[in-house]
Amino acid sequence: MTSTSAVRQRLTFRQRLNRADVKLSPYAYVAPFFILFGLVGLFPLVYTFVVSLNNWDLLQGAREWIGLKNYTDEFTDPLFWNSIFNTFSIFVLSAVPQLIAALIIAAILDQNLRAKTFWRMSVLLPYVVTPVAVALIFSNLFGEQYGLVNNVLHGFGIDPIMWKTNTVASHLAIATMVNWRWTGYNALILLAAMQAVPRDIYESAAIDGAGPIRRFVSITVPSIRPTFIFVVITATIGGLQIFTEPKLFNASSSIPGGPFRQYQTTVLYLWDMAFNRGDFGKAAAIAWILFIIIVAFGLLNFAISRRIASAEGWVERRRVRRALAALANRVQR
């Protein structure tokens, strides 16, 4: 203890400052992120949960503490379950074709094309367009009386489709909007992952006789799995929070989500509950339920991806053991 205190006394002010800099600098570098996350992420999340436990009015604020009553009321509200069904229906119709198309487009752009920079920038143009403009354009395209899509169908002798009245048709139209805007964005992310795959592997597979499809399935897809999982998770989060497209799909409707709420998503139902009905307590409860659903889907995607990775690793280890056993038998012979 004496020697340690003596060493500390002999340290100059600059040396002590350097020591403190080495110890505290890493915390200072990461502190802005945690401070910003606490202000715009954690605090609103906690505050929303507090609001969900109260009878909270838009203008008057908290009226009374009611505990979990807002949650129980929502679980028995048919409109809430209708919004959940609409959200998942639109999510499936948009996410699955979107990811498949993004993977195919990325594979095409990964080839040695002419003016490849032009094509890569072109697929990003739909993402640059604002969501409001996209929703208004597609709302006119899928108009029931004078929409371009129904006019084309009429030219082929097909009866017009009630895009803004029929449930399935409205879901398809909104999913088309989502796919048009996000497919190119996801394709560029997957393309960046494909560009990182060593070209020597493709050349070796081609020499061994593997065709383009075989190389894509056996080399490209396993190599970009982490990036593809990231795209799936982000598409899931965005798909379950869809708001702008159904809100502006039929702007003339007095009821958000269509005259029969046939495409009213959960976030749109949340917005209606908060700003049209003025019940912020139930709106906060809906937000927390949606948050839990999104977290559950994220964990499910992570678990499935780990299971797939471990299964493929087990198959690869088994293949290696078989190859080594066959090699050992040849040596013994």
Side-chain angles (χ1 to χ4, degrees):
M1 292 292 294
T2 305
S3 61
T4 304
S5 60
V7 171
R8 287 180 178 175
Q9 291 177 359
R10 288 196 299 267
L11 290 176
T12 63
F13 174 75
R14 183 181 294 275
Q15 289 172 333
R16 289 196 297 268
L17 187 62
N18 289 336
R19 272 192 168 188
D21 179 59
V22 171
K23 291 182 179 180
L24 300 179
S25 291
Y27 299 99
Y29 293 146
V30 300
F33 166 77
F34 288 100
I35 294 173
L36 188 63
F37 172 74
L39 291 176
V40 302
L42 187 60
F43 173 75
L45 194 65
V46 175
Y47 191 75
T48 302
F49 181 70
V50 174
V51 172
S52 70
L53 301 178
N54 290 270
N55 183 7
W56 198 288
D57 185 73
L58 175 60
L59 300 178
Q60 300 178 2
R63 291 179 176 177
E64 60 177 334
W65 179 274
I66 58 176
L68 299 176
K69 187 176 183 302
N70 286 326
Y71 293 90
T72 57
D73 289 346
E74 288 305 316
F75 283 132
T76 57
D77 190 351
L79 295 180
F80 170 74
W81 292 110
N82 173 70
S83 70
I84 292 290
F85 167 76
N86 293 335
T87 300
F88 278 89
S89 175
I90 296 173
F91 164 68
V92 172
L93 291 174
S94 60
V96 176
Q98 177 188 143
L99 295 175
I100 295 174
L103 190 63
I104 296 174
I105 293 173
I108 295 174
L109 295 177
D110 192 35
Q111 307 302 316
N112 190 17
L113 301 176
R114 289 185 178 180
K116 55 185 177 182
T117 304
F118 167 78
W119 294 113
R120 291 173 184 178
M121 293 301 298
S122 298
V123 298
L124 193 61
L125 287 178
Y127 175 74
V128 178
V129 181
T130 61
V132 175
V134 174
L136 293 177
I137 292 172
F138 276 85
S139 176
N140 291 323
L141 286 176
F142 289 102
E144 295 179 347
Q145 294 183 354
Y146 306 106
L148 177 63
V149 176
N150 276 344
N151 287 336
V152 173
L153 294 177
H154 179 72
F156 287 96
I158 302 175
D159 294 333
I161 298 175
M162 308 302 291
W163 296 106
K164 299 181 180 181
T165 306
N166 183 271
T167 300
V168 177
S170 61
H171 291 187
L172 286 173
I174 296 173
T176 303
M177 283 191 276
V178 177
N179 291 335
W180 185 84
R181 184 165 186 263
W182 288 99
T183 299
Y185 173 82
N186 291 326
L188 283 187
I189 295 178
L190 296 175
L191 175 63
M194 292 179 184
Q195 293 285 301
V197 180
R199 298 297 158 179
D200 297 342
I201 302 177
Y202 291 106
E203 294 175 1
S204 301
I207 293 174
D208 292 338
I213 297 178
R214 181 65 178 177
R215 294 197 298 269
F216 177 76
V217 174
S218 301
I219 299 176
T220 304
V221 174
S223 299
I224 66 170
R225 184 187 301 111
T227 305
F228 190 76
I229 294 172
F230 167 78
V231 171
V232 170
I233 293 176
T234 54
T236 302
I237 296 173
L240 296 179
Q241 292 180 331
I242 184 173
F243 171 75
T244 305
E245 288 83 356
K247 177 66 175 67
L248 299 178
F249 182 59
N250 189 6
S252 61
S253 176
S254 59
I255 301 176
F260 307 107
R261 302 180 187 269
Q262 66 271 20
Y263 53 88
Q264 185 180 72
T265 60
T266 304
V267 178
L268 188 55
Y269 174 62
L270 183 159
W271 179 87
D272 182 41
M273 182 66 69
F275 296 102
N276 287 345
R277 306 187 196 182
D279 195 337
F280 263 58
K282 287 186 177 180
I286 298 168
W288 256 91
I289 294 172
L290 183 61
F291 170 73
I292 294 173
I293 292 174
I294 292 174
V295 171
F297 265 81
L299 294 175
L300 180 63
N301 287 331
F302 179 73
I304 293 175
S305 63
R306 289 195 62 180
R307 177 66 64 88
I308 293 174
S310 60
E312 290 184 353
W314 179 80
V315 171
E316 186 64 26
R317 290 193 296 270
R318 185 177 179 182
R319 186 181 302 169
V320 171
R321 286 197 297 267
R322 287 182 177 179
L324 292 175
L327 181 61
N329 291 332
R330 291 180 183 177
V331 172
Q332 291 177 359
R333 293 178 183 176

